[in-house]
Amino acid sequence: MALEQIAEVPAAEAERAVRNRLSMVVFSGDMDRLMAAFIIATGAAASGMDVTMFFTFWGLQAIKKPSPTGRSLFGRMLGVFLRDIHGVGPSKMNFGGLGRWMFKKMMKAHNVTPLPELRRLAAELGVRMLACQMSMEVMEIRREDLIDEVQDVVGVATFLEEASRSKITLFI
């Protein structure tokens, strides 16, 4: 191996070095799982970590505007069920929407920060919010259907590169 090549190896390894970062795949659109994702993200960001959240499939509800989506018949049908952050329900005990109402009342009584406020706080703390390009294409969600705080629409390779340099990677 030539001396120049040997010198390039440490430089390349240093660039890929694990940093004080948290990378998170947000796959679920359930209220309790989104709460956990945003609580972890805001806690990590407040502690000085660089945080990236990659929203895919049902997780896109957390970063979607409250407008209908879809162009095709199936896309429009899916858009009826794909709500925004205000319409997500708990993963268990939803009871046709009654569970969502009950949990919101209980969280308010215990001074738990509501989900939309956690999302706003995450953006203020510099949490990078990325949307999955493939999921958006499949679910017929356009870039303009997402909230302004979303930094980019990217493919999985971009997220994997980010995660490879992270100290912690989570899937929620």
Side-chain angles (χ1 to χ4, degrees):
M1 187 178 263
L3 186 56
E4 299 83 34
Q5 290 173 320
I6 293 172
E8 289 176 13
V9 171
E13 286 178 11
E15 185 162 322
R16 293 187 56 83
V18 173
R19 298 188 181 105
N20 194 21
R21 289 184 174 171
L22 165 65
S23 296
M24 186 184 313
V25 175
V26 183
F27 177 80
S28 176
D30 294 327
M31 178 175 56
D32 44 325
R33 293 178 181 155
L34 290 174
M35 289 284 297
F38 279 107
I39 288 169
I40 292 168
T42 56
S47 299
M49 294 184 85
D50 292 329
V51 180
T52 299
M53 299 176 82
F54 179 69
F55 296 87
T56 186
F57 285 101
W58 302 116
L60 289 168
Q61 292 177 97
I63 57 172
K64 187 183 153 306
K65 291 177 183 173
S67 56
T69 58
R71 294 176 306 280
S72 69
L73 174 63
F74 290 145
R76 287 191 306 273
M77 287 172 58
L78 184 60
V80 169
F81 298 103
L82 187 66
R83 300 183 177 191
D84 68 337
I85 201 165
H86 297 281
V88 297
S91 57
K92 301 207 184 291
M93 298 185 284
N94 193 17
F95 305 124
L98 187 60
R100 179 177 62 235
W101 173 82
M102 180 183 72
F103 277 112
K104 285 183 177 182
K105 296 279 282 177
M106 292 172 70
M107 290 188 315
K108 186 175 182 178
H110 289 74
N111 294 317
V112 175
T113 305
L115 193 48
E117 181 68 17
L118 282 172
R119 182 182 68 187
R120 185 193 60 72
L121 180 59
E124 286 178 6
L125 289 170
V127 171
R128 289 183 62 221
M129 291 185 245
L130 305 175
C132 176
Q133 179 181 10
M134 184 213 56
S135 295
M136 288 178 62
E137 288 174 9
V138 169
M139 299 174 87
E140 298 183 6
I141 299 171
R142 302 165 301 153
R143 172 61 179 103
E144 48 273 11
D145 295 326
L146 303 178
I147 60 172
D148 295 336
E149 292 82 4
V150 173
Q151 279 85 1
D152 205 357
V153 175
V154 300
V156 70
T158 300
F159 174 74
L160 289 174
E161 180 62 30
E162 174 73 25
S164 73
R165 296 187 313 263
S166 296
K167 187 182 288 188
I168 302 168
T169 304
L170 302 173
F171 186 93
I172 299 178

